[in-house]
Amino acid sequence: AEYQDIFPVWDWQRLPGITCEYSDEPLAPGSATKGERSFVGGVSDGQFGMAAMDFARSRLSARKTWFFFDNEVVCLGAGIVCPGGLAVVTSVNQCLRKGAALFCCDGTRQVIERGERRFKGPAWVHHDGVGYVFPERGQLALKCGVETGCWQRINLEKPADEIKQEVFSLWLEHGNKPAD
């Protein structure tokens, strides 16, 4: 139930798993575009699996791969390139917050009930029974707190009443103009 009714308060530029140019501006209606490369694939033996994609849209390109095991998923990204001026991020997860988040960086553990933190890996984060491990020294961001929105933002036939939800969000920051 980690995503139950989160949609009105979701940051739609940080959907779990996406890599994008990030802006605080809301997405414009009708701004969806398809990727420019056709390579995507997956394989499974019925127990384990792998999926991969060669992604390109507008100025941003990346190669992404996911490996699925019994109780873990390994996500790899490489070749992230974007000559544009906006910051590029990869969202790890954005879900309803259930309790505190615990993160450990350089051997120092910290509990986050609310707030936003940035830190460099290697690190790990734990929230709601899920652990996230980051072996490289990438820039990570973690945010726990109340987000507001309304159903009408995403469906004009729904009520415009303000909704508040506690949200956990974790993402990688690749910076402006990442090159490989």
Side-chain angles (χ1 to χ4, degrees):
E2 66 265 29
Y3 304 114
Q4 177 124 17
D5 293 331
I6 194 172
F7 310 115
V9 300
W10 234 352
D11 181 339
W12 288 86
Q13 294 180 71
R14 285 200 194 116
L15 295 178
I18 69 165
T19 300
C20 71
E21 289 184 274
Y22 187 83
S23 169
D24 288 329
E25 296 297 315
L27 295 174
S31 64
T33 58
K34 292 183 178 183
E36 299 163 7
R37 296 188 183 148
S38 61
F39 178 80
V40 63
V43 65
S44 174
D45 66 359
Q47 182 175 4
F48 304 114
M50 188 274 297
M53 70 184 297
D54 188 4
F55 172 80
R57 190 180 81 215
S58 185
R59 302 174 295 202
L60 175 63
S61 62
R63 291 182 299 278
K64 299 176 77 169
T65 308
W66 300 263
F67 298 90
F68 305 95
F69 301 101
D70 287 329
N71 294 311
E72 63 191 65
V73 177
V74 176
C75 309
L76 302 175
I80 299 172
V81 175
C82 186
L86 294 173
V88 174
V89 301
T90 296
S91 179
V92 177
N93 200 5
Q94 183 183 194
C95 61
L96 296 175
R97 185 175 77 84
K98 188 172 180 182
L102 174 66
F103 81 86
C104 182
C105 183
D106 293 327
T108 303
R109 293 181 188 190
Q110 187 172 359
V111 175
I112 305 293
E113 288 285 343
R114 288 191 173 73
E116 190 168 330
R117 303 285 192 283
R118 285 179 166 67
F119 49 97
K120 289 192 182 287
W124 56 260
V125 175
H126 187 269
H127 173 258
D128 192 21
V130 178
Y132 307 88
V133 179
F134 303 92
E136 294 295 322
R137 295 203 68 80
Q139 182 71 36
L140 302 168
L142 169 66
K143 183 178 179 185
C144 291
V146 175
E147 300 292 340
T148 60
C150 73
W151 279 104
Q152 200 170 77
R153 273 185 23 197
I154 56 175
N155 184 341
L156 294 176
E157 295 178 10
K158 296 290 184 180
D161 302 342
E162 184 177 84
I163 294 172
K164 294 183 180 187
Q165 294 271 27
E166 290 277 345
V167 176
F168 164 87
S169 188
L170 178 64
W171 67 93
L172 295 158
E173 295 182 331
H174 306 294
N176 294 5
K177 300 182 181 181
D180 203 26

